[in-house]
């Protein structure tokens, strides 16, 4: 009888310990609210090589917002350009492609945004150096976080 009682206590203790460890594991790894949104933006940006003497360039790419809410870009900067602007190209009523600036904040909806020739793109104005292999954009988000996006040169 005494051995049987001791075995019951051990099994009960082991069960409680196991449940405690499982609970501890899930409570320590559980993502809540916007914590799981960390790193939710994936950017694959590119620009064409600039011809000699040209100090402006259009930056294109795919931006993937994997989060559950839209994100707002409040500002951005780059050591490669004196300024950055968001532009949108559209055909006017005469069939001429016109480009206009889109004011900040830029809203990235949940899902994928494609910035491509003849559409939405970033305009890098006042290139600092004559020839670059790549550029980096520092993005300031509405929630106070910052991201750095690499811009590759593609032909």
């Amino acid at each position: 009888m005494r051995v049987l009682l001791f075995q019951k206590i051990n099994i009960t203790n082991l069960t409680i310990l196991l449940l405690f460890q499982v609970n501890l594991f899930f409570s320590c790894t559980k993502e809540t609210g916007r914590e799981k949104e960390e790193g939710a933006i994936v950017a694959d940006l590119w620009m064409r090589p600039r011809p000699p003497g040209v100090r402006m360039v259009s930056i294109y790419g795919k931006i993937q917002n994997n989060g559950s809410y839209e994100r707002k870009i409040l500002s951005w900067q780059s050591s490669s350009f004196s300024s950055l602007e968001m532009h949108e190209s559209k055909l006017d009523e005469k069939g001429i492609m016109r480009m206009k600036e889109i004011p900040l904040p830029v809203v990235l909806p949940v899902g994928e945004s494609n910035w491509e020739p003849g559409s939405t793109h970033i305009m890098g104005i006042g290139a600092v150096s004559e020839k670059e292999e790549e550029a980096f954009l520092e993005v300031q988000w509405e929630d106070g976080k910052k991201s750095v996006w690499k811009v590759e040169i593609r032909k």
Side-chain angles (χ1 to χ4, degrees), residues 1 7 18 32 68 131 135 150 152 154-155:
M1 179 76 172
Q7 285 178 342
L18 178 65
T32 58
S68 60
K131 184 169 172 74
K150 180 181 177 179
E152 297 177 1
R154 297 182 189 165
K155 296 179 183 185

Side-chain angles (χ1 to χ4, degrees), residues 23-81:
N23 186 31
L24 183 62
F25 172 78
F26 284 109
S27 66
C28 288
T29 59
K30 186 176 180 182
E31 296 174 331
T32 58
R34 293 193 173 186
E35 293 170 7
K36 71 179 184 179
E37 304 300 337
E38 193 73 46
I41 301 292
V42 178
D44 178 23
L45 301 179
W46 61 276
M47 63 184 174
R48 293 186 177 115
R50 284 182 290 118
V54 175
R55 299 194 56 213
M56 292 176 41
V57 66
S58 295
I59 300 170
Y60 309 108
K62 179 175 23 175
I63 312 299
Q64 182 72 38
N65 180 356
N66 296 320
S68 60
Y69 62 97
E70 65 185 23
R71 302 282 303 270
K72 291 183 183 177
I73 298 173
L74 290 183
S75 66
W76 44 25
Q77 63 184 14
S78 174
S79 60
S80 300
F81 303 99

Side-chain angles (χ1 to χ4, degrees), residues 41 43 45 59 63 71-88 101-108 115 120-125 136-142 145-149 151:
I41 301 292
L45 301 179
I59 300 170
I63 312 299
R71 302 282 303 270
K72 291 183 183 177
I73 298 173
L74 290 183
S75 66
W76 44 25
Q77 63 184 14
S78 174
S79 60
S80 300
F81 303 99
S82 59
S83 66
L84 299 168
E85 295 178 357
M86 192 75 187
H87 286 190
E88 181 178 53
E101 183 179 357
I102 301 171
L104 292 175
V106 172
V107 177
L108 296 179
W115 299 346
T120 305
H121 59 277
I122 300 170
M123 184 63 74
I125 301 168
F136 293 91
L137 308 182
E138 185 179 300
V139 178
Q140 177 67 52
W141 299 100
E142 180 183 47
K145 295 181 180 161
K146 291 184 179 182
S147 299
V148 176
W149 291 347
V151 182

